[in-house]
Amino acid sequence: MIRHDAELGAANTLGLACRAERFAALESLAEARQVLAEARRHGWPVSVLGGGSNLILRPWLPGLVVQADFADWWLEPLDADTVRVHVEAGMNWHSLVEALAARELWGTENLALIPGRVGAAPIQNIGAYGVELADLLESVHLLYLDDGRETVLSREECAFAYRDSVFKHALHGRVLITRLVLRLSTRPAPRLGYGDLAARLGPTPSASEVVAAVSRVRREKLPDPAVLGNAGSFFKNPVVAAERARRLLAEYPGMPHFPLADGSVKLAAGWLIDQCGLKGLREGRVGVHDRQALVLVHHGGASAEELLALARRVADTVAERFGVTLEREPRLLGRALP
Ligand code: EPU
């Protein structure tokens, strides 16, 4: 059913006020086909909303906003060690992680407590604690907005990279993701190499124990969107050439850095921002989180423009001090009120 003039403030974790000209919560794939066909008939531009946790909303979204609410999931055993998981776009990501861990199916546990819905996960290739969605994903089912065509993309066709995929480029704004197919292991396969995860767990943790440990680490550092508006990491961790990393390390020997296979080096944006003394900064109704400088927070009543101005100030300060460019991670949608 299509609603008119819908308020989306509760549908984005930053809690920015936004109205959609039209809004449809899609209860099934059949309803998605029908509503999107109607949008094509009327020529409405369509915006797709997931859990709203990686989104900066300007006050007005013209056309039609859709959100997939269908959320079934089922298992397809492949062999003694491997299970395929089919999961529809509307399922809450963390609920899926908990359900799989409860069945001792291994693969998603390090991605515990990442906010948002399953359908949005491939867009930024969600990743945490040494695991990315791309490590587990087999295929993505989708529906093209412009002609209703339905297709399945393999992992290779998704062109995954760090916080990146084809859905941010060639398919940007062009598809509704309807289902993910993941491949998980029935054998214990804990990956505890990141930070102090191993120290928080015994030698043979269950999948649910890993989920609990990852959730605790996240709760210690990251603000709960239900309490303080935020969209997780506001910037990507920057990747710089080896030579720049070498020069920065000569000056800042303690700088966190992660050499990549191609010789370039990934730096920690949170550390760079923190070093500039910006952690905990508050500018009016927006600020930099006081426990993780990579997260910008919204204290209530601010606009996207205020948040973007703070982001510019943060990025400019880091560029001036370190000569490193920070790139925004969350997607910007909408426009000023008509
Ligand atoms: N650091 C600081 N000060 C800060 C924040 C970080 O000094 O305010 C330092 C830390 O001490 C550490 C390094 O920077 O040495 C990296 O910090 P952390 O382990 O917290 O991870 P991150 O690189 O800041 C990334 C992801 C997170 C993910 C964590 C854990 C990005 C943009 N962010 O953060 O993802 O949870 O690693 O894997 O890649 C998200 O995307 O929304 C997100 C939260």
Side-chain angles (χ1 to χ4, degrees):
M1 197 190 62
I2 297 176
R3 283 196 286 134
H4 288 260
D5 196 24
E7 168 59 48
L8 298 183
N12 74 101
T13 60
L14 267 165
L16 295 167
C18 174
R19 304 197 78 82
E21 190 175 7
R22 298 176 194 82
F23 178 82
L26 308 170
E27 302 297 337
S28 65
L29 185 54
E31 187 180 2
R33 292 178 182 128
Q34 178 234 313
V35 166
L36 293 171
E38 189 173 344
R40 281 195 296 282
R41 273 198 304 279
H42 291 283
W44 299 328
V46 174
S47 307
V48 178
L49 208 64
S53 55
N54 198 42
L55 206 57
I56 304 162
L57 289 177
R58 290 202 165 106
W60 175 239
L61 270 172
L64 172 70
V65 175
V66 296
Q67 190 171 37
D69 274 356
F70 42 102
D72 281 346
W73 68 282
W74 60 97
L75 300 175
E76 180 191 348
L78 289 180
D79 56 44
D81 296 343
T82 326
V83 171
R84 206 175 257 154
V85 183
H86 298 258
V87 50
E88 291 184 330
M91 184 162 193
N92 173 273
W93 174 262
H94 181 66
S95 305
L96 174 71
V97 170
E98 283 189 315
L100 295 172
R103 287 163 178 77
E104 276 296 301
L105 293 174
W106 290 80
T108 58
E109 56 287 345
N110 290 29
L111 305 179
L113 220 62
I114 294 183
R117 295 182 179 197
V118 162
I123 299 176
Q124 61 154 310
N125 182 21
I126 57 170
Y129 307 101
V131 176
E132 289 183 343
L133 180 72
D135 302 335
L136 320 163
L137 190 121
E138 207 172 85
S139 59
V140 175
H141 292 234
L142 54 83
L143 202 160
Y144 282 90
L145 303 177
D146 60 355
D147 60 5
R149 193 160 41 95
E150 292 177 46
T151 190
V152 182
L153 294 190
S154 68
R155 179 190 21 211
E156 290 66 33
E157 289 170 316
C158 292
F160 288 121
Y162 165 65
R163 293 292 188 278
D164 202 24
S165 74
V166 70
F167 306 107
K168 286 186 166 185
H169 301 281
L171 295 184
H172 174 72
R174 293 183 51 206
V175 298
L176 173 72
I177 292 171
T178 55
R179 188 205 297 183
L180 305 190
V181 182
L182 310 178
R183 190 182 271 254
L184 299 190
S185 170
T186 57
R187 287 184 187 239
R191 276 151 305 170
L192 309 177
Y194 191 97
D196 65 350
L197 263 189
R200 289 171 179 252
L201 288 158
T204 52
S206 68
S208 293
E209 283 168 344
V210 177
V211 167
V214 168
S215 300
R216 272 197 302 277
V217 178
R218 288 185 72 95
R219 283 199 188 95
E220 283 165 17
K221 287 193 183 169
L222 297 166
D224 177 355
V227 178
L228 183 58
N230 75 90
S233 301
F234 199 91
F235 300 101
K236 290 189 196 183
N237 282 330
V239 175
V240 300
E243 176 53 21
R244 175 169 297 281
R246 200 187 54 71
R247 272 189 280 129
L248 283 170
L249 277 166
E251 203 176 335
Y252 308 96
M255 179 179 74
H257 61 288
F258 311 92
L260 304 179
D262 65 358
S264 58
V265 180
K266 195 197 273 182
L267 306 180
W271 184 88
L272 297 169
I273 298 167
D274 199 351
Q275 290 295 304
C276 293
L278 297 171
K279 185 142 109 181
L281 169 77
R282 180 156 178 174
E283 274 201 346
R285 299 174 288 189
V286 293
V288 179
H289 187 49
D290 55 9
R291 273 173 286 150
Q292 162 56 291
L294 196 45
V295 178
L296 299 190
V297 295
H298 173 211
H299 295 282
S303 65
E305 303 315 316
E306 279 173 77
L307 192 69
L308 293 171
L310 173 65
R312 264 193 306 277
R313 175 171 166 194
V314 169
D316 288 350
T317 309
V318 166
E320 232 164 78
R321 164 104 179 253
F322 295 103
V324 173
T325 305
L326 294 185
E327 199 185 316
R328 190 184 70 227
E329 212 294 301
R331 202 158 54 107
L332 182 60
L333 264 189
R335 52 172 81 156
L337 282 169

